[in-house]
Amino acid sequence: MNSCRTSTADTQQALTQAETLCQQRGVRLTDLRRRVLEIIWSSTTALGAYAILDVLREDGRQGASAPPTVYRALDFLLEQGLIHRLVSLNVFTVCHQPGNPHNGQFLICQDCGHVNEMNNLEIDHLLRAETDGCGFETRTRIVEILGRCSKCLEESARHD
Amino acid sequence: MNSCRTSTADTQQALTQAETLCQQRGVRLTDLRRRVLEIIWSSTTALGAYAILDVLREDGRQGASAPPTVYRALDFLLEQGLIHRLVSLNVFTVCHQPGNPHNGQFLICQDCGHVNEMNNLEIDHLLRAETDGCGFETRTRIVEILGRCSKCLEESARHD
DNA sequence: TATGAAATGTTATTATATAACATGACAGGA
DNA sequence: TCCTGTCATGTTATATAATAACATTTCATA
Ligand SMILES: [Zn+2]
Ligand SMILES: [Zn+2]
Ligand SMILES: [Zn+2]
Ligand SMILES: [Zn+2]
């Protein structure tokens, strides 16, 4: 698995957008929170809390060496819709449409770790129809699909 | 939250069906595995591995007091499609249609813990269409919806 | 610059899951 | 019946994920 995105332009743009959103909302994107967001954006794969913690430790920043530090930052980023949590793997990944709250559907490659976030409204509607039919009040929708991405499929086909 | 199903008839029927399925497949539904399945069926709410372990300990059976015991039994039951794992809560719940493998969609009440398993084929088809469009090969589909069930909604409405 | 609220630091603990190896149960063949 | 290999379970230790509780620092603003 690649461990770094090829371009940091996306990351910089995302950080700028996050800064803007937080200002508009009157919440503080502190150094720590920005750094955690940057770490997640800088990885091609979704990261677990302790993997993020390792990077913070490499930073050599004062403190930042204990789990609560990273979990609190992650909680903030989740609240602000800047990242998503993938419950099937206990990892965190970036959101490409912060600003408009959504649940999303995630295609997760078990070979290369790549995560593809979809936002298919049809699926949302269908799930809503299903819950409405049961009189169920939805708070959170989780749709995660595990398997192999097209790239890894081609890769393995070449080696046959 | 209620901790026991009102009827044990469902449980007995489920155990019988499990026995039959395992015989057909040439796998062994041992005492331990059957007991774990019974424990899950006997609860109105989905149970975590350690909650199941607590019950096994109450049984006073020799051994059965360590995590691997229950995780191995759970792995077997999952493989045989006799139970489902809810990743959003790290808990296990019964399956009402063992025998035909499926992913299912789960409505999970965060107030009373009740789990409602749906098997809406439209949703399956829509998700399949989406992944096919991306050239993604699906191995596991996770659909879990967290919120409040109709019963708990009515309950809370009465107290307003 | 005083003050309170929010954020972070710090230590300890809880919760969930697996690794590794020993022992026991059981089916099929000698 | 006894051997033998496989599967299942017992057992100890550890890995991994998340939170509780309290101390200290930062920061806006009064
Ligand atoms: Zn998103
Ligand atoms: Zn891949
Ligand atoms: Zn099912
Ligand atoms: Zn309920």
Side-chain angles (χ1 to χ4, degrees):
Chain A
M1 294 197 218
N2 263 336
S3 64
C4 291
R5 291 184 190 278
T6 46
S7 163
T8 61
D10 288 348
T11 301
Q12 289 312 314
Q13 189 180 342
L15 290 176
T16 303
Q17 186 179 8
E19 197 77 62
T20 304
L21 275 171
C22 287
Q23 267 179 20
Q24 288 171 356
R25 294 169 182 170
V27 296
R28 293 170 52 204
L29 186 65
T30 61
D31 282 355
L32 177 64
R33 291 163 175 175
R34 187 189 302 104
R35 178 64 180 130
V36 170
L37 183 57
E38 184 182 31
I39 291 167
I40 298 171
W41 266 99
S42 301
S43 170
T44 48
T45 63
L47 295 177
Y50 282 74
I52 295 167
L53 191 53
D54 286 342
V55 180
L56 287 178
R57 283 172 173 152
E58 286 169 14
D59 282 357
R61 85 169 47 213
Q62 203 264 355
S65 57
T69 299
V70 67
Y71 277 105
R72 284 189 290 229
L74 290 168
D75 283 345
F76 172 85
L77 297 172
L78 286 169
E79 276 168 22
Q80 299 303 319
L82 297 167
I83 61 172
H84 292 288
R85 175 169 148 74
L86 304 180
V87 293
S88 62
L89 298 178
N90 296 322
V91 293
F92 301 86
T93 192
V94 300
C95 176
H96 292 82
Q97 288 110 29
N100 89 305
H102 56 272
N103 293 106
Q105 302 106 30
F106 299 89
L107 309 190
I108 305 165
C109 179
Q110 294 173 309
D111 282 19
C112 71
H114 183 75
V115 175
N116 187 8
E117 177 181 358
M118 318 287 291
N119 279 288
N120 185 323
L121 292 180
E122 269 189 275
I123 292 175
D124 276 358
H125 291 155
L126 204 46
L127 289 174
R128 177 165 303 282
E130 188 170 0
T131 50
D132 284 353
C134 303
F136 188 93
E137 180 192 68
T138 298
R139 283 203 278 254
T140 313
R141 264 198 296 269
I142 295 163
V143 178
E144 296 178 18
I145 303 176
L146 299 167
R148 280 206 295 181
C149 75
S150 55
K151 208 170 155 186
C152 288
L153 277 174
E154 287 169 21
E155 189 80 14
S156 73
R158 261 200 296 282
H159 293 307
D160 284 346
Chain B
M1 291 197 217
N2 263 337
S3 62
C4 291
R5 290 184 191 280
T6 47
S7 162
T8 61
D10 288 349
T11 301
Q12 289 313 313
Q13 188 180 342
L15 291 176
T16 303
Q17 185 179 8
E19 198 76 64
T20 304
L21 275 171
C22 287
Q23 267 178 21
Q24 287 171 357
R25 294 169 183 169
V27 295
R28 293 170 52 204
L29 186 65
T30 60
D31 283 353
L32 176 64
R33 291 164 172 173
R34 187 189 301 103
R35 178 63 182 132
V36 170
L37 183 58
E38 185 181 32
I39 290 167
I40 299 172
W41 265 99
S42 301
S43 170
T44 48
T45 63
L47 295 177
Y50 282 75
I52 295 167
L53 191 53
D54 287 341
V55 179
L56 287 178
R57 283 171 174 155
E58 286 168 14
D59 283 358
R61 83 171 46 213
Q62 204 261 358
S65 57
T69 300
V70 67
Y71 278 105
R72 285 188 289 228
L74 290 168
D75 283 345
F76 172 85
L77 297 172
L78 286 169
E79 275 168 21
Q80 299 303 320
L82 297 167
I83 61 172
H84 291 288
R85 176 168 148 74
L86 304 179
V87 292
S88 62
L89 299 178
N90 296 321
V91 293
F92 302 84
T93 192
V94 300
C95 176
H96 292 82
Q97 289 108 32
N100 89 306
H102 57 273
N103 293 107
Q105 303 106 29
F106 299 89
L107 309 190
I108 306 165
C109 180
Q110 293 173 311
D111 282 18
C112 71
H114 183 74
V115 175
N116 186 9
E117 177 181 359
M118 318 286 292
N119 280 289
N120 185 322
L121 292 181
E122 269 189 273
I123 292 174
D124 275 358
H125 291 155
L126 204 46
L127 290 174
R128 178 164 302 282
E130 189 171 359
T131 49
D132 284 353
C134 304
F136 187 95
E137 181 191 70
T138 298
R139 283 204 277 252
T140 312
R141 264 199 296 270
I142 295 163
V143 178
E144 296 179 17
I145 302 177
L146 299 167
R148 279 205 297 180
C149 75
S150 55
K151 208 169 155 187
C152 287
L153 276 174
E154 287 169 21
E155 189 79 16
S156 71
R158 262 201 294 284
H159 293 308
D160 285 345

